[in-house]
Amino acid sequence: MDVFRIEGPVRLAGHVDINGSKNASLPIMAAALLAPGNSTLLGVPRLADISVFKELIDQLGCKVERREDGVLTIDATKIDNPVGPYDIVRKMRASVCILGPLLARCGRVEVSMPGGCAIGDRPIDLHLIGLRQLGAQIHLKNGYVIAETPQGLKGASIFLGGPYGSTVLGTANVLMAATLAKGRTIIESAACEPEITDLANCLNVMGARISGIGSPRLVIDGVNHLHPVQYRVIPDRIEAGTFMAAAAITGGEVHIGHCRLEDMMAVVDRLRIIGIAVEANGDGCTVAGAESFQPADITTQPYPGFPTDLQAQFMALLALAHGNSIVVEKVFPDRFLHVAELNRMAANLRKEGSAVIVAGVKKLVAAPVMASDLRASAALVIAGLAAEGATIVNRVYHIDRGYERIEERFNLLGAKISREEGGTV
Ligand code: UD1
């Protein structure tokens, strides 16, 4: 099992290009299953999660080919095994987004029920409520969700709000199924995340009739069939935000290319409050850190609020602010496994329910730490860049799930990170 050895502190400087979005690529790969034939997706990042999804689609009976340059082709001419097996779903819960498209295309689908994960319980009740309202019959057997449409799917008015707002993949599932349902579907309290907008835009290129894109009210007029597509996915706003936090914490100056600032207004707003300069230029922006920076309160929320997927990275940044901050998690209230690890690096963080009080400290100190999930591990790397000494981040496979060659890209900006074998299991 690989570990990262991070020598700090460093100051990052230079240019980095952001890759295509992981969270847009996954549902768009699932959307390709709606149309028999060959679809081509451009800008798909080379990540472990994408490989898992490729494996899932391959075993449905489709053929997926992935080139080094981010081009991914999916031949969905035939689907002879509409099943999402436990062995794949347990590796990546986003596998659940084959439910909607396979139900619509094949009339039956079996997907292993995803379990909990490091960031919380993560139920899929809203996905199932939405699909049932489209006419699916759904039952649970041996840990599998079995969904069938004996009479075909029929448009309906569906409310997808839950206790923590809407659901991103739940919206993706219901949206994809509704494109082939008879009549009109209205999804109220739909997720507005840019990745859902990207999915809806891609579906429209495939021949779907979706309006209200980007709003919490999606209107879908069902069509009889969709056609294959060539489509480029949007850049990854979470990867961009991670590089922004890293530039800021190291007092560096980094030009971030291929980055859509318009999708990141809440993040840019918080950076400016903290005292970090963010200037739009070219196809991205320049982020310039300061000698010392200010505290800021952050509350994660569904889009356009501050993204939960950047909560951990920004907590690492605030750990060095000149004063106290409060970070409130309103999407995944238990997503705080990084708190104890950051405290091992001499941060001063205190968890209170679904909030963390961050008392800024003058410096972070290197320590061996344990990555627990994808974004928490990014936070530990960011802290390691600023900490004095050699930080060892164990279990870096978490970070490989969502960041492509992150150590090489940080090193090109002046970081000193080496990937080494070994570490704590
Ligand atoms: C997606 C993202 C993940 C991000 C999250 C929130 C992908 C592959 N993953 O996950 O990176 O952190 O959005 O922006 O795109 N909920 C329910 N019932 C449901 C579904 C969700 O109660 O049926 C709750 C969840 O437990 C959570 C909240 O709703 O508290 C939001 O979850 P959701 O938007 O569904 O997250 P994912 O789509 O799984």
Side-chain angles (χ1 to χ4, degrees):
M1 214 178 285
D2 290 352
V3 305
F4 280 160
R5 168 184 289 272
I6 307 171
E7 303 283 347
V10 292
R11 179 179 180 275
L12 298 186
H15 175 93
V16 63
D17 276 322
I18 298 305
N19 291 316
S21 161
K22 168 179 90 72
N23 286 356
S25 298
L26 294 169
I28 289 175
M29 285 169 75
L33 301 174
L34 285 160
N38 279 297
S39 284
T40 304
L41 306 181
L42 311 173
V44 177
R46 284 167 295 180
L47 300 173
D49 273 8
I50 300 289
S51 303
V52 173
F53 211 69
K54 173 185 179 306
E55 194 190 334
L56 175 63
I57 295 182
D58 278 337
Q59 67 81 48
L60 300 173
C62 303
K63 280 189 219 91
V64 185
E65 274 175 34
R66 190 172 165 192
R67 290 200 330 229
E68 276 302 289
D69 57 1
V71 176
L72 188 132
T73 54
I74 300 178
D75 178 355
T77 305
K78 75 180 173 47
I79 294 175
D80 40 36
N81 180 39
V83 177
Y86 174 69
D87 266 354
I88 297 182
V89 180
R90 77 180 166 81
K91 284 190 215 154
M92 188 185 64
R93 24 169 318 115
S95 311
V96 77
C97 70
I98 60 169
L99 255 179
L102 291 185
L103 181 65
R105 164 119 182 240
C106 310
R108 181 187 160 89
V109 53
E110 290 182 29
V111 178
S112 172
M113 182 86 175
C117 72
I119 67 176
D121 287 348
R122 306 189 73 178
I124 58 162
D125 54 322
L126 297 169
H127 303 228
L128 304 187
I129 286 172
L131 295 175
R132 277 200 176 103
Q133 289 187 25
L134 289 176
Q137 291 179 3
I138 300 180
H139 65 280
L140 207 65
K141 194 175 165 198
N142 302 335
Y144 278 71
V145 175
I146 301 176
E148 292 163 301
T149 55
Q151 261 95 53
L153 296 173
K154 227 172 130 219
S157 279
I158 298 167
F159 179 74
L160 276 188
Y164 305 103
S166 192
T167 159
V168 175
L169 290 177
T171 301
N173 256 329
V174 177
L175 174 64
M176 287 190 273
T179 57
L180 292 181
K182 276 205 171 52
R184 172 168 283 196
T185 298
I186 298 176
I187 306 178
E188 298 282 6
S189 196
C192 303
E193 269 66 8
E195 294 76 18
I196 292 297
T197 295
D198 206 30
L199 168 67
N201 286 336
C202 175
L203 288 165
N204 275 353
V205 179
M206 295 170 76
R209 291 174 57 206
I210 304 167
S211 57
I213 296 175
S215 83
R217 185 172 200 263
L218 292 172
V219 179
I220 305 114
D221 288 303
V223 295
N224 290 333
H225 61 269
L226 296 175
H227 52 77
V229 70
Q230 173 162 324
Y231 192 82
R232 179 176 290 280
V233 298
I234 55 171
D236 197 312
R237 65 193 168 105
I238 305 303
E239 183 178 283
T242 302
F243 277 101
M244 287 174 178
I249 201 171
T250 62
E253 183 167 332
V254 176
H255 182 254
I256 301 178
H258 196 223
C259 151
R260 290 177 14 143
L261 273 194
E262 67 269 30
D263 291 344
M264 303 185 65
M265 292 322 287
V267 176
V268 172
D269 172 68
R270 288 299 94 180
L271 281 169
R272 288 185 176 146
I273 298 270
I274 292 169
I276 309 299
V278 183
E279 224 177 273
N281 49 38
D283 70 340
C285 63
T286 301
V287 178
E291 277 279 293
S292 78
F293 40 86
Q294 301 305 310
D297 292 343
I298 291 181
T299 300
T300 67
Q301 283 169 328
Y303 188 83
F306 190 92
T308 173
D309 285 352
L310 285 172
Q311 181 252 106
Q313 300 89 316
F314 273 65
M315 193 179 293
L317 174 61
L318 292 173
L320 282 173
H322 196 68
N324 297 341
S325 309
I326 298 180
V327 176
V328 182
E329 178 53 70
K330 290 217 167 165
V331 179
F332 291 110
D334 297 327
R335 189 175 200 175
F336 287 125
L337 285 177
H338 45 283
V339 167
E341 298 302 303
L342 288 171
N343 279 343
R344 300 191 67 254
M345 299 177 74
N348 186 355
L349 315 177
R350 187 157 57 87
K351 188 173 163 308
E352 285 286 342
S354 59
V356 171
I357 298 156
V358 183
V361 294
K362 286 212 168 59
K363 62 176 187 180
L364 294 174
V365 181
V369 285
M370 190 68 75
S372 54
D373 76 63
L374 168 54
R375 307 302 171 185
S377 45
L380 299 177
V381 172
I382 287 173
L385 293 172
E388 276 177 17
T391 297
I392 306 292
V393 180
N394 287 284
R395 297 190 183 165
V396 298
Y397 61 84
H398 285 295
I399 207 164
D400 292 334
R401 286 187 41 215
Y403 296 91
E404 188 177 330
R405 299 176 292 105
I406 190 91
E407 74 281 23
E408 290 173 27
R409 292 162 78 211
F410 273 135
N411 287 348
L412 286 174
L413 296 173
K416 294 175 196 150
I417 307 178
S418 52
R419 186 183 284 263
E420 298 175 0
E421 276 185 21
T424 315
V425 180

